[in-house]
């Protein structure tokens, strides 16, 4: 006992120490000025940035630049959250030029007209100085991000070819030559051509090679035309008639196949080339995308720059130092280094004219390709257009729409989504009557809550001291208070914030100037036909998942609940899916569902000779794939609960039943199930709630709802709506509806299960 | 339970092994990616150990990245969260199980209700709240969030376990002169140790693998926890798959080890109490 006491004391000290440590970790400020740079540079260029900053620190000992890497979308969302909602964030932001429109509309980047003089600016390619609404907002240090044709010279030589295809017909012809089934098992071992063809960014070159354009001068989408139809038809033909591209191909499949020498040609962007140059299986060749001989037009890939933005929160000396840092990061020396090592196109003419750079064949091809490219629009509308192209195009690929229907659908969707992007503007100055209801309701709610708190909690605690057990009650309140306060604090603010935003018009253009508009966001939720589709999918998702979790979990528990040599190790192995982080296992599951060489199709084929299933490109199958993955993840929890429940069932019951001649099935039905029920019901309730809101698995397995935004449940849909098109008000209302559905369901479910037994 | 016949045993073993294979295979794939050279996520080969395997990615993790530092940060945050979780859940679960007090019903219900918030409802406001409280770039912010995400479940399961311990034990202790707190601390708490282990395990999992909140509030490489550090290997269309997989494996090792040792506590210790009452 004494030992235990000292041990406990030691723990208390340790705990206190740790707490103090955690407080003191907030960074202490010294006379060195700290600047923050957030960027999305992939690993190779990150290393150069680090070197450059080291030099900068040596030259400027009074400056410390802290760098933070975030993946593209997380960078955009993270910067917005910091800059727009808290007025903070890094002084310097590095990202693609298509961030510009949104960031300016939100008012979270400042004009950069005062960073360089006119003469200095003359050295920059005008395409890298991003203007929006007549001011300069981004200064680029890299142009391109363009797609081009990468080819494996080794495979070309083996097939007797000596140059890259010059026309689309040649592309198809070469593709057919290079597509090979070495062992004649019906599965291609080498493909002529691969690329991430499910993503609309990669279809733009084909679309433009048929003369298509993205939008007109007034930012209106122009997507319903013959060019779209021909482009979509061409890609479907490449897959189904010419059979030169895999039946299923996302970015990672294309990348893996080409990088391991299993594909002759690849369409990919400048960001990825370095990897292939270094690959032992690839003899790197690069050329521009071949001309479309049907129209005589070159494919125009989207090109965009990357560069720096400055946060308007930077003022005074901080601003001056930030500008100085920016000038350094886009300087001749800095750009020369990137360009030399990564073969990227510099934004400075002086760098491009450097003899070493001029002699680089890859940069030469790049510049040639960019000359045939079209600049990616930097307006926020482009986001809406991508969101419209994706489902339409993927529906065509999946066969649920003809190319004609797809073209019409994407135009319609684009118009809708652009309207959604600016929905916050739709509310004028007049105040609708419902707003007063909101205010009135808010006041009533506050009074009701205070009244309840007083009469239900404070009063009984203070007043009824003559009642028996009040002392116990105070003791209990003390015990509960710390946990209650910490949970209350973390949940209450988000809850009311969300409620408030759900009654507002917060969106892209109204992120700082939002106001209460009443219930119209809720109206939008309930009139959106998607809501009902995704609702049904969510019910199916939850029902199927939990049903399998419970039945397989209980089944395994029953098998394990007996004397069994090796039981311990089997139990642990079965629990493992729970222990490994799901963000990686979900991705391996995605790989296992690959139609060509995923483990699942291979097993189905070898064991049961079932034809390969297109798991991830068919909406129904993709949904099934997500469900299978999640079932795998959820079984261990239910199994453990069931095992615990089974162990608490007295063995005498079974013995008595056996003596009475009850069969195993009867025992299961009459003893196991009824006694397991009270243990399982709370777990099931919780399982339902968790599964209903489980965004990760659907998102990761379907790569964000693919194909065609059809693999969504309610939460993943609202996540996309909120963060892709900045529909914060709408998303808040939608989230609140999801929350209320769960509350109502649980109340009903628990009532029905009659869980009234208490302590 | 009676002894099973050999035939039945064989059947049981084959079913169990089938499920073991199913539960292990995806995890083994992660290992495959981590020891395969060339940074490919996918490969035609179904072999678990590729012919040209090596440990380069693991070596890189420790030599070229601040992996040890991230691991240290994660361990620190996790330990604090586990201690907080165990202390708070064991006390409040006890109160909810043993006493009738004003607000008890509401507390029990709100435990469940906290699990119903969709992530989209919490992410942005939590970040705003933390930055208003100047908790960005501190572990305190993380610790508060992690503790509170793990708490509802832990409190609930602690309460469920206390419910199974007869009240007469405390009564006896009280008659012997123990105070209410002593009765809880000396008599009941030791009996509830299986449930405490589970609370610790759940708090561990909540803190050890989380990255969304951490990625939002930690701005410095040196402050990163393991999962956030792991995310730096992932880029849009440019993921370093080998490193990412190797990192994930290392992140899993402590979790797997814990499960290895604690599974027998999990069974029987994990009792969710009834929600109402």
């Amino acid at each position: 006992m004494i030992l235990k006491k000292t041990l406990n004391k030691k723990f208390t000290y340790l705990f206190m120490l740790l707490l103090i440590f955690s407080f003191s970790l907030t960074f202490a400020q010294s006379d060195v000025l700290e600047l923050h740079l957030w960027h999305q540079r992939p690993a190779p260029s990150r290393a150069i940035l680090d070197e450059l900053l080291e030099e900068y620190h040596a030259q400027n000992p009074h400056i410390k630049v802290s760098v933070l890497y975030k993946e593209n979308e997380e960078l955009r969302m993270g910067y917005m959250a910091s800059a727009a909602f808290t007025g903070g964030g890094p002084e310097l932001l590095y990202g693609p030029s298509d961030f510009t429109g949104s960031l300016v509309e939100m008012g979270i980047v400042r004009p950069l007209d005062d960073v360089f003089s006119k003469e200095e600016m003359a050295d920059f390619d005008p395409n890298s100085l991003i203007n929006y609404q007549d001011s300069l907002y981004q200064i680029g240090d890299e142009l391109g991000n363009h797609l081009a044709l990468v080819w494996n010279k080794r495979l070309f030589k083996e097939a007797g070819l000596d140059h890259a295809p010059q026309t689309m017909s040649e592309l198809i012809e070469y593709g057919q030559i290079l597509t090979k089934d070495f062992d004649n098992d019906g599965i291609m071992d080498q493909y002529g051509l691969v690329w991430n063809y499910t993503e609309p960014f990669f279809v733009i070159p084909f679309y433009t090679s048929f003369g298509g354009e993205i939008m007109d001068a007034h930012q209106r989408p122009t997507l319903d035309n013959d060019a779209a139809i021909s482009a979509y038809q061409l890609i479907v033909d490449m897959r189904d008639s010419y059979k030169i591209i895999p039946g299923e191909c996302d970015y990672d499949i294309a990348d893996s196949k080409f990088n391991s020498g299993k594909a002759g040609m690849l369409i990919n962007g400048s960001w990825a080339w370095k990897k292939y140059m270094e690959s032992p299986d690839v003899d790197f060749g690069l050329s521009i995308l071949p001309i479309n001989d049907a129209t005589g037009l070159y494919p125009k890939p989207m090109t965009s720059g990357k560069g720096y933005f400055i946060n308007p929160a930077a003022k005074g000396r901080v601003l001056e130092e930030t500008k100085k840092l920016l000038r350094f990061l886009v300087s001749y020396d800095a750009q020369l280094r990137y360009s030399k090592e990564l073969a990227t196109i510099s934004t400075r003419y002086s760098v491009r004219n450097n003899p070493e750079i001029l002699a680089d064949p890859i940069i030469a091809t790049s510049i040639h390709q960019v000359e045939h490219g079209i600049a990616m629009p930097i307006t926020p509308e482009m986001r809406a257009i991508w969101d419209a192209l994706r489902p339409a195009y993927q529906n065509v690929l999946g066969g649920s729409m003809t190319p004609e229907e797809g073209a019409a659908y994407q135009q319609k969707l684009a118009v809708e989504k652009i309207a959604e992007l600016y929905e916050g503007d739709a509310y004028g100055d007049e105040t609708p009557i419902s707003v007063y209801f909101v205010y009135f309701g808010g006041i009533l709610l506050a009074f009701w809550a205070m009244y309840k708190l007083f009469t239900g909690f404070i009063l009984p605690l203070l007043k009824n001291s003559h009642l028996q057990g009040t002392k116990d009650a105070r003791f209990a309140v003390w015990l509960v208070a710390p946990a209650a306060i910490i949970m209350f604090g973390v949940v209450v603010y988000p809850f009311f914030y969300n409620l408030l935003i759900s009654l507002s018009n917060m969106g892209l253009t109204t992120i700082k100037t939002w106001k209460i508009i009443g219930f119209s966001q809720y109206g939008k939720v309930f009139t959106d036909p998607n809501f009902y589709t995704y609702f049904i999918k969510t019910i199916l998702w939850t029902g199927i998942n939990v049903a399998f979790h419970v039945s397989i979990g209980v089944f395994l528990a029953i098998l394990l609940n007996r004397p069994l040599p090796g039981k311990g190790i089997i139990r642990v192995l079965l629990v493992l899916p729970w222990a490994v982080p799901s963000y990686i296992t979900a991705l391996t599951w995605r790989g296992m569902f690959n139609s060509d060489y995923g483990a699942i199709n291979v097993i189905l084929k070898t064991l049961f000779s079932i034809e390969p299933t297109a798991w991830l490109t068919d909406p129904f199958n993709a949904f099934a794939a997500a469900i299978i993955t999640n079932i795998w993840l959820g079984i261990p929890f239910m199994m453990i609960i069931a095992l615990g429940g089974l162990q608490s069932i007295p063995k005498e019951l079974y013995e008595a039943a056996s003596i009475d001649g009850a069969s195993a099935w009867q025992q299961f039905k009459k003893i196991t199930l009824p006694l397991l029920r009270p243990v399982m019901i709370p777990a099931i309730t919780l399982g339902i709630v968790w599964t209903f809101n489980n965004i990760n698995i659907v998102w990761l397995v379907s790569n964000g709802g693919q194909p065609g935004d059809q693999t969504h449940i309610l939460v993943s849909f609202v996540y996309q709506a909120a963060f892709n098109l900045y529909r914060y008000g709408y998303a808040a209302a939608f989230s609140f509806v999801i929350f209320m559905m769960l509350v109502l369901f649980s109340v009903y479910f628990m009532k029905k299960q009659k869980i009234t037994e208490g302590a | 339970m009676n002894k099973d016949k050999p035939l039945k045993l064989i059947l049981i073993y084959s079913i169990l092994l089938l499920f073991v294979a199913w539960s292990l295979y995806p995890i083994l794939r992660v290992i495959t990616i981590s020891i395969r050279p060339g940074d490919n996520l996918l490969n035609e080969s179904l072999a678990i150990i590729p012919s040209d395997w090596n440990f380069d990615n693991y070596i890189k993790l420790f030599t070229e990245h601040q992996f040890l530092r991230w691991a240290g940060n994660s361990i620190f945050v996790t330990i604090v969260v586990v201690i907080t979780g165990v202390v708070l859940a064991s006390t409040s679960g006890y109160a909810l199980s043993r006493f009738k007090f004003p607000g008890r019903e509401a507390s029990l219900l709100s435990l469940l209700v906290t699990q119903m918030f969709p992530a989209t409802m919490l992410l942005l406001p939590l970040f705003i709240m933390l930055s208003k409280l100047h908790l960005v770039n501190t572990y305190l912010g993380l610790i508060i969030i992690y503790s509170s995400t793990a708490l509802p479940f832990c409190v609930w399961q602690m309460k469920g376990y206390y419910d199974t311990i007869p009240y007469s034990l405390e009564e006896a202790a009280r008659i012997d002169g123990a105070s209410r707190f002593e009765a809880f601390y000396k008599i009941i708490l030791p009996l509830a140790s299986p449930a405490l282990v589970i609370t610790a395990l759940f708090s561990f999992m909540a803190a050890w693998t989380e990255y969304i909140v951490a990625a939002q509030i930690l701005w410095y490489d040196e402050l990163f926890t393991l999962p956030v550090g792991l995310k730096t290997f992932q880029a849009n269309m440019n993921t370093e798959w080998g490193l990412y997989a190797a990192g994930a494996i290392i992140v899993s090792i402590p979790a797997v080890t814990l499960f290895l040792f604690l599974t027998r506590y999990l069974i029987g210790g994990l009792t969710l109490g009834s929600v109402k009452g």
Side-chain angles (χ1 to χ4, degrees):
Chain A
M1 247 341 178
I2 292 169
L3 181 78
K4 215 170 182 184
K5 229 176 194 168
T6 44
L7 248 180
N8 279 322
K9 237 183 201 156
K10 271 192 188 148
F11 268 121
T12 326
Y13 287 135
L14 184 71
F15 181 64
M16 302 266 274
L17 234 128
L18 287 174
L19 262 182
I20 292 164
F21 183 44
S22 78
F23 274 114
S24 60
L25 264 177
T26 39
F27 267 55
Q29 290 285 330
S30 56
D31 51 340
V32 172
L33 179 67
E34 188 183 11
L35 296 177
H36 301 83
L37 163 62
W38 289 8
H39 69 94
Q40 40 86 277
R41 289 182 182 277
S45 89
R46 223 180 289 169
I48 300 174
L49 177 68
D50 288 342
E51 284 168 29
L52 285 170
L53 286 177
E54 226 163 84
E55 280 168 34
Y56 194 73
H57 288 150
Q59 293 161 17
N60 303 277
H62 61 291
I63 297 291
K64 160 102 183 72
V65 185
S66 292
V67 180
L68 180 67
Y69 163 80
K70 279 176 189 275
E71 181 273 321
N72 215 39
E73 286 300 284
E74 275 178 23
L75 179 73
R76 188 173 61 86
M77 271 143 50
Y79 180 76
M80 279 171 188
S82 308
F85 290 102
T86 70
E91 290 81 19
L92 205 54
L93 173 73
Y94 179 83
S97 53
D98 56 314
F99 279 10
T100 312
S102 307
L103 296 180
V104 176
E105 293 285 355
M106 290 186 174
I108 52 176
V109 285
R110 78 183 283 287
L112 301 178
D113 301 285
D114 53 354
V115 173
F116 281 114
S117 69
K118 269 246 162 59
E119 300 79 62
E120 287 172 303
M121 297 245 256
D123 190 30
F124 281 87
D125 187 326
N127 287 321
S128 69
L129 301 172
I130 307 299
N131 285 279
Y132 190 77
Q133 296 168 350
D134 300 326
S135 285
L136 174 66
Y137 280 100
Q138 191 195 34
I139 298 177
D141 77 335
E142 186 186 324
L143 271 184
N145 221 26
H146 48 290
L147 299 172
L149 187 72
V150 190
W151 47 293
N152 192 338
K153 287 180 181 163
R154 180 172 64 83
L155 299 185
F156 269 59
K157 214 177 277 169
E158 281 168 19
L161 302 167
D162 59 356
H163 65 273
Q166 306 296 312
T167 63
M168 287 279 185
S169 320
E170 248 179 23
L171 181 80
I172 291 166
E173 189 195 323
Y174 286 17
Q176 284 170 322
I177 296 171
L178 288 160
T179 303
K180 285 173 182 164
D181 179 9
F182 296 120
D183 51 6
N184 289 315
D185 62 350
I187 294 173
M188 294 303 156
D189 301 295
Q190 179 180 312
Y191 277 99
L193 176 64
V194 291
W195 84 95
N196 180 16
Y197 70 75
T198 47
E199 182 59 37
F201 179 78
F202 290 75
V203 85
I204 297 296
F206 294 92
Y207 175 61
T208 48
S209 81
F210 284 102
E213 284 179 8
I214 308 291
M215 44 178 131
D216 63 15
H218 305 283
Q219 319 292 343
R220 282 185 303 236
T222 52
L223 305 169
D224 183 12
N225 50 36
D226 289 342
I229 298 167
S230 311
Y232 290 176
Q233 191 59 53
L234 175 65
I235 288 162
V236 169
D237 285 346
M238 281 190 189
R239 184 187 65 188
D240 300 342
S241 315
Y242 309 125
K243 296 192 195 307
I244 59 168
I245 59 179
E248 181 190 308
C249 199
D250 64 8
Y251 188 87
D252 293 311
I253 298 173
D255 177 68
S256 297
K257 274 202 195 282
F258 186 80
N259 196 38
S260 55
K262 299 277 163 55
M265 297 177 280
L266 165 77
I267 298 172
N268 207 349
S270 49
W271 61 84
W273 299 342
K274 195 177 159 74
K275 176 174 172 181
Y276 308 131
M277 289 180 221
E278 290 166 358
S279 167
D281 299 315
V282 177
D283 186 3
F284 186 80
L286 182 73
S287 59
I288 65 165
L289 295 167
I291 193 167
N292 188 340
D293 32 5
T295 58
L297 295 173
Y298 271 101
K300 294 186 210 158
M302 286 262 180
T303 67
S304 67
K306 286 183 193 170
Y308 293 91
F309 300 95
I310 291 185
N311 190 332
K315 298 255 157 56
R317 178 173 167 234
V318 175
L319 176 61
E320 288 316 309
E321 289 293 350
T322 308
K323 283 189 201 165
K324 200 178 142 200
L325 177 64
L326 195 165
R327 283 197 291 266
F328 170 77
L329 289 170
V330 299
S331 65
Y332 174 85
D333 291 334
Q335 291 207 26
L336 183 63
R337 197 170 312 176
Y338 283 116
S339 203
K340 242 195 242 174
E341 290 186 33
L342 304 175
T344 52
I345 306 176
S346 163
T347 58
R348 282 183 181 265
Y349 293 121
S350 52
V351 175
R352 284 188 215 168
N353 291 327
N354 176 298
E356 246 183 281
I357 301 296
L358 280 175
D360 188 326
I362 290 174
I363 298 181
T365 312
S366 269
I367 290 177
H368 190 187
Q369 181 69 72
V370 169
E371 278 163 3
H372 283 303
I374 45 164
M376 166 108 78
I378 53 155
T379 52
E381 280 85 349
M382 198 58 217
R383 291 199 72 82
I385 289 179
W386 290 129
D387 277 3
L389 287 175
R390 201 167 291 119
Y393 173 52
Q394 288 174 355
N395 282 341
V396 173
L397 289 176
S400 59
M401 282 184 182
T402 63
E404 288 79 8
E405 287 164 351
Y409 182 55
Q410 66 194 17
Q411 176 68 19
K412 179 175 149 275
L413 264 188
V415 172
E416 280 173 22
K417 288 191 185 280
I418 288 172
E420 287 171 1
L421 196 59
Y422 291 105
E423 66 188 352
D425 292 341
Y427 304 95
D429 288 330
E430 77 280 8
T431 315
I433 206 101
S434 61
V435 171
Y436 297 106
F437 280 109
V438 171
Y439 288 136
F440 187 63
I443 292 167
L444 274 186
L445 194 70
F447 271 113
W448 178 81
M450 279 195 315
Y451 172 78
K452 267 288 183 193
L453 187 71
F454 195 70
T455 56
F457 188 68
I458 297 172
L459 223 55
L461 214 55
L462 293 177
K463 218 175 91 186
N464 302 338
S465 50
H466 60 279
L467 279 181
Q468 224 182 10
T470 310
K471 264 190 176 165
D472 276 347
R474 274 191 208 152
F475 175 62
V477 168
W478 275 115
L479 286 181
V480 172
I485 288 168
I486 189 172
M487 267 157 45
F488 195 73
V490 170
V491 166
V492 161
Y493 176 80
F495 178 81
F496 285 103
Y497 182 88
N498 192 82
L499 193 59
L500 188 68
I501 296 303
S502 76
L503 300 165
S504 81
N505 64 341
M506 189 193 273
L508 170 68
T509 47
T510 46
I511 200 155
K512 285 177 173 170
T513 55
W514 57 274
K515 58 179 188 210
I516 299 296
I517 52 160
F519 294 98
S520 63
Q521 301 284 19
Y522 289 92
K524 268 188 223 156
V525 172
F526 288 116
T527 51
D528 186 347
N530 281 330
F531 174 79
Y532 300 97
T533 325
Y534 295 136
F535 177 67
I536 291 169
K537 284 194 177 166
T538 313
I539 299 286
L540 283 175
W541 159 261
T542 313
I544 296 171
N545 265 310
V546 176
F548 276 100
H549 291 162
V550 174
S551 53
I552 298 180
V554 169
F555 173 69
L556 289 174
I558 290 175
L559 290 189
L560 281 170
N561 190 41
R562 68 187 73 232
L564 209 60
K567 175 164 89 170
I569 187 77
I570 294 179
R571 219 162 46 185
V572 171
L573 293 178
L574 286 174
V575 174
L576 279 190
W578 191 4
V580 180
S582 62
Y583 42 78
I584 182 92
T585 45
L587 288 175
T588 47
W589 269 100
R590 188 174 156 77
M592 284 162 56
F593 281 114
N594 179 276
S595 71
D596 277 354
Y597 46 65
I600 293 175
N601 274 356
V602 173
I603 291 168
L604 287 179
K605 196 180 149 90
T606 45
L607 290 187
F608 310 102
S609 3
I610 294 173
E611 281 302 296
T613 312
W615 283 101
L616 298 171
T617 44
D618 176 84
F620 179 83
N621 291 346
F623 196 53
I627 289 178
I628 291 171
T629 308
N630 199 54
I631 289 174
W632 177 82
L633 272 168
I635 291 172
F637 177 75
M638 291 295 177
M639 184 184 88
I640 292 289
I641 300 260
L643 265 173
L646 286 177
Q647 287 191 345
S648 65
I649 301 176
K651 297 208 169 44
E652 296 77 36
L653 283 179
Y654 292 102
E655 280 159 16
S658 297
I659 292 164
D660 289 349
S663 69
W665 172 246
Q666 280 172 326
Q667 289 182 22
F668 173 73
K669 235 178 97 180
K670 298 283 178 195
I671 304 172
T672 314
L673 271 192
L675 288 176
L676 212 47
R677 219 177 93 109
V679 183
M680 295 307 289
I681 293 296
I684 292 172
T685 316
L686 205 56
I688 289 173
V689 171
W690 283 343
T691 312
F692 200 92
N693 274 340
N694 186 338
I695 183 169
N696 289 344
I697 302 308
V698 177
W699 194 268
L700 289 173
V701 173
S702 70
N703 197 12
Q706 290 179 5
D709 273 342
Q710 297 185 67
T711 316
H712 272 306
I713 58 175
L714 288 169
V715 254
S716 63
F717 173 71
V718 69
Y719 183 78
Q720 197 190 30
F723 297 113
N724 264 7
L725 295 177
Y726 316 108
R727 306 179 71 192
Y728 295 109
Y730 176 76
F734 208 122
S735 305
F736 197 75
V737 171
I738 295 176
F739 172 70
M740 285 314 293
M741 284 194 302
L742 276 176
V743 171
L744 291 179
F745 159 79
S746 312
V747 169
Y748 169 79
F749 184 74
M750 289 185 307
K751 274 231 171 91
K752 220 183 146 206
Q753 296 297 337
K754 295 201 187 86
I755 311 168
T756 44
E757 160 272 339
Chain B
M1 210 143 296
N2 301 322
K3 293 230 168 64
D4 296 305
K5 291 189 189 85
L7 199 69
K8 196 176 164 192
L9 265 180
I10 292 170
L11 188 69
I12 287 174
Y13 270 117
S14 9
I15 295 174
L16 284 175
L17 288 181
L18 205 68
F19 275 99
V20 166
W22 186 40
S23 78
L24 275 190
Y25 187 75
I27 299 167
L28 293 176
R29 289 303 286 180
V30 183
I31 298 177
T32 312
I33 299 167
S34 75
I35 55 175
R36 181 163 59 207
D39 241 358
N40 296 332
L41 174 65
L42 302 163
N43 195 307
E44 282 89 348
S45 158
L46 292 182
I48 296 297
I49 297 176
S51 52
D52 48 354
W53 64 276
N54 61 42
F55 283 124
D56 286 1
N57 289 315
Y58 290 90
I59 296 166
K60 255 195 191 165
L61 272 186
F62 290 102
T63 53
E64 291 174 25
H65 298 275
Q66 300 186 313
F67 210 71
L68 281 179
R69 167 136 211 172
W70 299 336
N73 296 341
S74 264
I75 290 170
F76 168 72
V77 170
T78 307
I79 287 178
V80 180
V81 169
V82 167
I83 295 172
T84 321
V86 168
V87 171
L88 296 186
S90 60
T91 49
S92 51
Y94 181 72
L96 289 169
S97 164
R98 286 299 193 258
F99 302 106
K100 289 236 181 291
F101 57 93
R104 176 173 178 271
E105 295 273 313
S107 309
L108 275 174
L109 260 180
S110 52
L111 284 182
L112 185 62
V113 170
T114 55
Q115 303 295 298
M116 297 176 190
F117 289 98
T120 44
M121 202 160 156
L122 294 174
L123 276 179
L124 189 63
L126 271 185
F127 172 70
I128 295 174
M129 188 172 84
L130 287 179
S131 63
K132 280 188 178 155
L133 296 172
H134 299 285
L135 291 176
V136 171
N137 281 322
T138 66
Y139 289 139
L140 186 64
L142 270 192
I143 288 163
I144 291 174
I145 304 278
Y146 292 170
S147 304
S148 57
T149 32
L151 259 181
F153 180 83
C154 294
V155 173
W156 195 359
Q157 72 99 11
M158 285 305 305
K159 184 228 170 225
Y161 197 84
Y162 289 130
D163 285 351
T164 65
I165 301 173
Y167 192 54
S168 51
L169 287 173
E170 284 128 296
E171 281 174 337
R174 292 298 301 279
I175 289 163
D176 288 348
S179 74
R180 267 183 315 249
F181 190 70
E182 279 170 339
F184 158 63
Y185 187 67
K186 288 187 177 156
I187 308 292
I188 302 302
L189 204 55
L191 285 175
S193 50
L196 287 176
V197 168
I198 290 161
T199 292
L201 186 66
F202 268 85
S203 311
F204 172 87
M205 291 297 278
W208 188 252
T209 57
E210 201 284 339
Y211 76 89
I212 296 175
V213 177
Q216 187 64 267
I217 74 166
L218 301 178
W219 293 8
Y220 299 92
D221 255 22
E222 308 90 81
L223 288 181
F224 281 178
T225 55
L226 274 178
V228 187
L230 210 56
K231 278 292 280 184
T232 61
F233 304 134
Q234 216 182 15
N236 188 22
M237 301 188 185
N238 225 330
T239 299
E240 296 164 275
W241 288 113
L243 280 177
Y244 189 62
I249 291 295
I250 292 184
V251 170
S252 318
I253 288 173
V256 171
T257 318
L258 278 183
F259 271 91
L260 204 65
F261 287 111
L262 300 183
T263 305
R264 65 194 178 91
Y265 287 98
L266 264 177
I267 298 158
L270 186 49
T271 320
L272 293 177
S274 57
V275 186
K276 282 196 76 182

